Amino acid sequence: MLENLVGQEAAKSIIKDINSNTFPGAVLFSGAECTGKLTAALEVARVLSCNADERAHWLCECPSCLRHKALNSTNLLLMGPRDCSLEISAAKDSFIKSYRDNDSHLKATRYLFLRSIRKLTLRFSGILWEGETNLSKIAVLMEKINENLELLDFPRELPPFDETVKICGELEADSLKLESDFLYDSIPVNQVRNMEKWACIRSDEGKKTVIIENAESMQVSVRNALLKILEEPPTDCVFILLTSHRSAIMETILSRVRTYNFKNRSPEVQQDVIKRVFHNEYFHGEINEFLLTFLPVPADKVRLQAKNFFNSVIHGKIPDCAEVVKDCAGFEPRVEFKIFLNGITDCVRPVMSTMAGSEACVELSKVLRQCYENVTLYNQKVDAALESLVRDINKINVLYGKVFAGV
């Protein structure tokens, strides 16, 4: 049980509670990014649904465990925003290299790639999206993704290498489109209501599990809707909320869940995770840094673009927003846009020590958040959002005595 969760003390508490039948119906896995929260949640879902006599081991081959390991179990719902594209690209790279070299990791990397895509497609379950206006468009893209996944899935023999490379490329591109065009940055309240209906239907075998990632990003109406089912959860359904910001979770929700804290893993342990999961023995750094190497535009170049953009604005120049978007490859995947906006935040750190600078930075953080939401929630074009950001930064700078001019 939890054999794949490396270097995380929380595993001991989770295993103890499951083995003693004291694992509650609603829990919160809290910890920084890349600490294994989703890995743990998916494994808990597998174990709770297992119907073997001696359940729990990762190598269990009961039908339920096989479906969970392939991430196609009907007992699992996965919700919430997530940047899936970098993991998909990293998994594809590992799989292609293993197939090319015909090494001993081929089965593992094949599973890794298939699971990386299903961590995205699970969020587009017809159960969750019933009644959504974009359902027909999503269905077309999902059908293409599923057809290509079937060509690579077990127990089918893999296609010839060149054909496999082509299929993987299509899956990567279509997954990015699915994530960029349709994955909400915050869970719609209608999806919570659809989930509640599903959760109340009794399971034929084992327990159902609902995993809600980035739970802190839920809007008030969504939190209130979730709170109702957490107050009286169905007996055969477990709710696992994941967060990197426990302080942003409503107190009323915190009072109804048991928290398991996931600690930051040491650099050595993180390198071990990269070696075990992605079979990369050459990268030396943290997991997040490793995933960023798969960006179409290097993170350092995006941060430099952010610095140049900000410096232009505070010195009275109007940056060419369309050119910025072009140089950053359209800010796809969306994590590129996060890096860009965080790069602007990094620019103003030197003025935070003054009263005016601190107040200006608070206002700046608000407009940066609004800029991100304009793109991800309201589908505004990035260049238009940046043009609005230029005006907002100018207003803040003038209002606080051009405090940013000193950065």
Side-chain angles (χ1 to χ4, degrees):
M1 188 189 305
L2 295 177
E3 293 93 342
N4 295 332
L5 186 60
V6 181
Q8 193 52 259
E9 288 295 313
K12 295 179 181 178
S13 298
I14 295 170
I15 293 171
K16 179 182 177 182
D17 289 343
I18 290 176
N19 285 337
S20 62
N21 292 319
T22 58
F23 192 80
V27 299
L28 178 70
F29 290 177
S30 175
E33 293 182 1
C34 299
T35 51
K37 300 187 298 294
L38 182 56
T39 297
L42 292 170
E43 178 65 349
V44 167
R46 180 190 69 81
V47 171
L48 294 178
S49 188
C50 178
N51 51 33
D53 292 335
E54 295 183 8
R55 71 179 192 182
H57 198 280
W58 173 253
L59 297 180
C60 176
E61 294 192 357
C62 76
S64 176
C65 282
L66 292 177
R67 288 191 292 269
H68 269 280
K69 284 187 282 189
L71 293 187
N72 58 16
S73 172
T74 56
N75 268 6
L76 175 66
L77 277 187
L78 179 57
M79 308 171 64
R82 176 183 176 87
D83 295 313
C84 300
S85 57
L86 296 185
E87 182 180 349
I88 290 172
S89 296
K92 186 198 80 169
D93 183 69
S94 299
F95 172 46
I96 292 299
K97 286 180 178 177
S98 289
Y99 192 14
R100 179 197 63 198
D101 299 337
N102 193 28
D103 63 25
S104 60
H105 307 308
L106 180 56
K107 182 178 180 180
T109 57
R110 185 178 175 182
Y111 254 124
L112 179 70
F113 181 55
L114 295 171
R115 283 171 59 91
S116 70
I117 294 175
R118 286 182 176 137
K119 286 178 186 178
L120 170 65
T121 58
L122 271 172
R123 298 164 207 269
F124 292 90
S125 165
I127 294 168
L128 297 174
W129 287 76
E130 183 181 356
E132 292 281 348
T133 56
N134 287 325
L135 189 57
S136 59
K137 295 179 181 178
I138 292 170
V140 173
L141 194 52
M142 283 284 290
E143 183 178 4
K144 184 182 177 185
I145 290 173
N146 287 330
E147 286 176 355
N148 273 330
L149 281 175
E150 187 176 346
L151 296 176
L152 303 181
D153 207 353
F154 297 93
R156 181 192 292 262
E157 290 290 328
L158 284 173
F161 179 74
D162 290 344
E163 185 180 345
T164 297
V165 171
K166 179 176 179 292
I167 293 169
C168 288
E170 291 179 359
L171 282 167
E172 182 181 32
D174 289 337
S175 296
L176 176 58
K177 180 174 178 58
L178 183 66
E179 177 182 316
S180 300
D181 291 358
F182 300 111
L183 185 61
Y184 292 115
D185 202 52
S186 181
I187 300 171
V189 67
N190 189 53
Q191 289 194 5
V192 174
R193 292 173 180 146
N194 289 340
M195 173 273 289
E196 182 176 3
K197 295 176 186 176
W198 174 85
C200 291
I201 299 173
R202 192 166 185 82
S203 170
D204 291 334
E205 59 176 15
K207 287 196 174 186
K208 291 181 171 182
T209 303
V210 176
I211 300 172
I212 302 178
E213 199 163 12
N214 290 301
E216 75 282 353
S217 67
M218 293 185 293
Q219 301 297 317
V220 174
S221 59
V222 177
R223 296 175 186 179
N224 290 336
L226 179 65
L227 186 60
K228 292 178 181 178
I229 193 168
L230 292 183
E231 287 176 345
E232 296 183 22
T235 56
D236 62 343
C237 187
V238 171
F239 295 85
I240 305 178
L241 280 61
L242 314 182
T243 184
S244 299
H245 306 282
R246 187 177 185 274
S247 60
I249 304 291
M250 283 175 58
E251 284 296 329
T252 46
I253 288 181
L254 290 177
S255 67
R256 287 163 174 79
V257 299
R258 179 182 300 170
T259 299
Y260 295 88
N261 292 308
F262 285 64
K263 306 297 185 183
N264 285 328
R265 295 181 281 201
S266 69
E268 294 77 17
V269 171
Q270 293 195 54
Q271 287 181 32
D272 186 39
V273 171
I274 294 170
K275 182 178 178 181
R276 288 193 190 194
V277 176
F278 297 99
H279 303 281
N280 185 308
E281 300 182 4
Y282 307 104
F283 183 85
H284 298 285
E286 298 182 350
I287 298 169
N288 190 51
E289 294 172 344
F290 170 72
L291 293 175
L292 288 178
T293 64
F294 292 91
L295 285 170
V297 179
D300 287 344
K301 182 177 179 180
V302 176
R303 294 187 187 105
L304 180 60
Q305 285 283 349
K307 181 178 180 181
N308 292 339
F309 174 90
F310 184 74
N311 285 337
S312 294
V313 176
I314 64 175
H315 290 101
K317 300 177 183 178
I318 301 177
D320 187 336
C321 295
E323 191 66 23
V324 171
V325 174
K326 180 181 177 182
D327 289 342
C328 293
F331 290 108
E332 295 293 350
R334 77 175 80 186
V335 68
E336 296 263 21
F337 198 42
K338 286 183 182 178
I339 293 170
F340 180 86
L341 297 177
N342 287 337
I344 294 177
T345 300
D346 292 338
C347 290
V348 300
R349 294 191 188 281
V351 305
M352 288 183 179
S353 57
T354 66
M355 178 68 74
S358 178
E359 292 176 353
C361 289
V362 170
E363 294 304 312
L364 178 64
S365 67
K366 292 179 182 178
V367 300
L368 291 175
R369 179 63 186 173
Q370 185 61 56
C371 180
Y372 182 75
E373 290 181 350
N374 285 343
V375 173
T376 59
L377 291 181
Y378 305 113
N379 296 319
Q380 186 178 25
K381 290 188 177 298
V382 181
D383 52 353
L386 290 181
E387 288 169 2
S388 297
L389 182 61
V390 169
R391 295 191 290 271
D392 290 335
I393 293 174
N394 263 321
K395 288 178 184 177
I396 294 170
N397 198 33
V398 171
L399 182 62
Y400 290 93
K402 296 189 176 181
V403 66
F404 293 146
V407 300

